[in-house]
Amino acid sequence: MTFTVASNSFKDGDYLSSDFILSSDFGFGCAGRNRSPHLKWSGAPEATKSFAVTCYDPDAPTGSGFWHWLVVNIPADVSELAEGAGSTGGKLPAGALQTRTDFGVPGYGGPCPPEGDHPHRYLFTVFAVKTDKLDVKADTSAAVVGFNLHFNTLARAEIMGLFKR
C-alpha cells in the first residue's frame, strides 16, 4: 500500500481559498481566515509510531524558503486533521505538538507571498515517524524539527496548494 495524503479543503495543485490564507492580524498585507486545511492520510508503514505534518513554501524570497506549520508527535492511530486544527483555538489530537514556524510562533500561519510575485507552492507533507515522540519543544526551530524528521522518517506523503496575490 502506498502512503498518500488528501484534503477536503483543496485538491493537489489547486489554488488555496481565502479560508487558508494568512489573516490581517499578522501584518503582511493578506486578509484571509488563517485556517489550517483538512488533511487525511492512509497507507503508512506498519512500523509507524507517530506522524508529523508540515507546510513549507520553497518559493519564499528568503534564500531558505518559509515554514508555515509544523506539528509533531501526532499519535499513530490518528489519520486525519480537521480543518482549523492547527489554527488559533483549533483542536489537535492529544499529545500532538505544534512547533515554531518562520512567523516566530507555533501554530498555522497561512500563505501570503509578496504582491505581484509568481504563484508560490505550499507543500503540506505528512511524515510517518519511527518514534513515538520527537525530542523537540514548542519553541524548537523548523530547521531542528526537520533535522529530527530526517533521521526518523519511514515514509512521507505530500499535497501541494498554490497561492498568488
Side-chain angles (χ1 to χ4, degrees):
M1 182 178 232
T2 303
F3 188 36
T4 61
V5 60
S7 177
N8 292 339
S9 301
F10 68 99
K11 289 186 178 13
D12 187 38
D14 279 357
Y15 278 82
L16 298 168
S17 76
S18 63
D19 285 345
F20 313 110
I21 305 310
L22 193 68
S23 67
S24 60
D25 301 343
F26 286 81
F28 284 81
C30 288
R33 292 192 53 220
N34 204 48
R35 292 178 57 80
S36 60
H38 164 267
L39 296 171
K40 183 174 184 162
W41 53 92
S42 62
E46 283 188 37
T48 301
K49 294 188 177 176
S50 68
F51 293 99
V53 171
T54 64
C55 176
Y56 175 71
D57 172 6
D59 303 311
T62 63
S64 60
F66 199 93
W67 292 97
H68 287 264
W69 193 26
L70 299 103
V71 187
V72 298
N73 304 341
I74 300 169
D77 63 350
V78 172
S79 61
E80 185 170 18
L81 293 180
E83 185 175 304
S87 308
T88 302
K91 186 168 166 93
L92 287 168
L97 173 70
Q98 295 188 100
T99 64
R100 185 166 35 106
T101 67
D102 284 338
F103 290 108
V105 295
Y108 179 78
C112 188
E115 203 162 352
D117 208 1
H118 60 86
H120 283 216
R121 297 167 291 162
Y122 296 89
L123 308 175
F124 292 86
T125 306
V126 180
F127 297 82
V129 181
K130 67 181 179 182
T131 61
D132 292 328
K133 292 186 185 283
L134 294 180
D135 187 21
V136 298
K137 298 177 176 38
D139 66 348
T140 300
S141 72
V144 172
V145 172
F147 179 83
N148 279 271
L149 284 171
H150 177 80
F151 292 102
N152 289 289
T153 296
L154 298 168
R156 58 193 283 170
E158 192 168 83
I159 186 171
M160 179 189 67
L162 297 168
F163 187 67
K164 171 184 173 43
R165 62 181 189 121

